[in-house]
Amino acid sequence: MSDNVRKVAVRDCEIGGPDLVVMAGPCSVESREQIFQAAEVVAASGGRFLRGGAFKVRTAPVAFQGLGWDGWRLLREAATANSLLTVSEILVEDQIEEAKRYVDLAQVGSRNMQNPPLLKALGRSGMPVMLKRGFGCTIDEWIHAAEYILAEGSQDVVLCERGIRTFETATRFTLDVAAVAIAKARLGLPVIVDPSHAAGRREWVECLTLSGVAAGADGLLIETHPNPAEARSDGPQAVVLAEFPALMDKARRVAEAVGRRVGAAAAVA
Ligand code: PEP
Ligand code: MN
């Protein structure tokens, strides 16, 4: 369980303790209305972090690249208004200093896991980091990537299993559930699960969420959108916002079965 895991503090939120930390929101921040709607429901469902990308890493250059700094400003505003913290991807070293105003937990994306200059810069930055697993990377490689951050003197690293590429095509990626336990045991850091990018389709998000909780995840990173049909990125995998509270209820019941809690943490001061 979480006993031998180092607890990582992000402001007043502890990751790696008995409470699973729920992070949720849209793939990308798209508008004030969208991110405020998401923040309200995430907070009411026991979430602690509002997620939302502002600088997106898209496979194709013609795809929506995010609202940039305006996206981060909106993310911070919506989170603060609902007593939430923020998690968002930092793409390049140049963004780090300014990002500290808007982002509480710095996400390293799957495609950037093997980018040592970025990892080292984040390790020196004083920001807590959530390191996503590269979708073509082994657990060993993921752990070494985390060591790049730790080697700079940082203690505050959380890993995120988000699915790896396999021969299976029915899901976007394959959630490596064993990796949750293995990475925790090997590195002694909290591991959270992102069922959304693994599933690729919203109908499979629930089973991966629940299996992640059962496997001992210390948190969840879930994409949810008020109107997924209009989402500018990752709409097919976004849980409909109105259905998010029910998903959290199910996660809560599985968490209780394995001696953990979901959404029991106090509001941010
Ligand atoms: C995301 O969280 O929206 C994202 C791009 O994730 P990943 O880096 O895991 O693909
Ligand atoms: Mn996404």
Side-chain angles (χ1 to χ4, degrees):
M1 279 291 304
S2 54
D3 300 354
N4 300 319
V5 168
R6 183 193 303 157
K7 294 176 183 53
V8 171
V10 183
R11 302 199 188 277
D12 73 335
C13 180
E14 185 179 83
I15 307 175
D19 293 329
L20 265 83
V21 174
V22 174
M23 310 177 185
C27 178
S28 303
V29 180
E30 296 166 358
S31 69
R32 167 176 289 272
E33 194 188 10
Q34 173 237 27
I35 196 68
F36 271 77
Q37 282 177 359
E40 205 172 298
V41 174
V42 170
S45 309
R48 295 298 310 275
F49 282 78
L50 182 62
R51 68 146 288 150
F55 295 92
K56 298 302 298 180
V57 188
R58 304 303 301 283
T59 302
V62 291
F64 177 57
Q65 304 288 310
L67 294 183
W69 299 101
D70 286 341
W72 270 350
R73 279 188 274 274
L74 288 172
L75 180 73
R76 172 58 89 197
E77 250 190 83
T80 302
N82 290 279
S83 302
L84 293 168
L85 299 167
T86 61
V87 55
S88 194
E89 178 164 358
I90 293 180
L91 283 191
V92 289
E93 182 176 349
D94 292 359
Q95 294 168 339
I96 296 174
E97 275 316 303
E98 190 69 6
K100 289 178 182 172
R101 295 172 56 187
Y102 308 109
V103 178
D104 297 308
L105 178 60
Q107 174 171 331
V108 175
S110 189
R111 291 156 188 81
N112 252 333
M113 189 204 87
Q114 289 183 306
N115 180 349
L118 178 65
L119 301 177
K120 289 195 226 172
L122 284 167
R124 289 190 299 267
S125 72
M127 289 187 86
V129 178
M130 182 182 73
L131 178 65
K132 286 193 150 196
R133 179 179 180 182
F135 55 72
C137 295
T138 64
I139 295 172
D140 254 346
E141 289 163 338
W142 189 23
I143 286 171
H144 286 316
E147 288 167 350
Y148 267 105
I149 305 171
L150 299 168
E152 300 297 316
S154 171
Q155 303 273 305
D156 301 324
V157 181
V158 176
L159 302 176
C160 177
E161 165 60 41
R162 47 78 75 210
I164 52 175
R165 183 152 283 165
T166 67
F167 51 79
E168 183 54 69
T169 55
T171 48
R172 188 177 179 190
F173 295 95
T174 297
L175 188 73
D176 184 359
V177 174
V180 177
I182 295 168
K184 271 172 94 158
R186 293 267 307 276
L187 208 52
L189 291 174
V191 179
I192 74 164
V193 162
D194 169 352
S196 304
H197 290 84
R201 300 195 60 81
R202 81 180 53 84
E203 53 263 59
W204 314 130
V205 170
E206 180 180 304
C207 76
L208 297 184
T209 298
L210 302 183
S211 59
V213 175
D218 296 297
L220 296 164
L221 180 73
I222 299 179
E223 289 188 344
T224 179
H225 192 290
N227 185 359
E230 285 181 5
R232 298 184 73 184
S233 63
D234 286 349
Q237 71 196 30
V239 172
V240 178
L241 188 60
E243 295 168 9
F244 185 73
L247 177 62
M248 287 303 99
D249 283 344
K250 287 192 178 169
R252 196 167 286 122
R253 293 209 292 277
V254 175
E256 280 162 14
V258 295
R260 307 288 291 276
R261 291 180 303 206
V262 169
V268 178

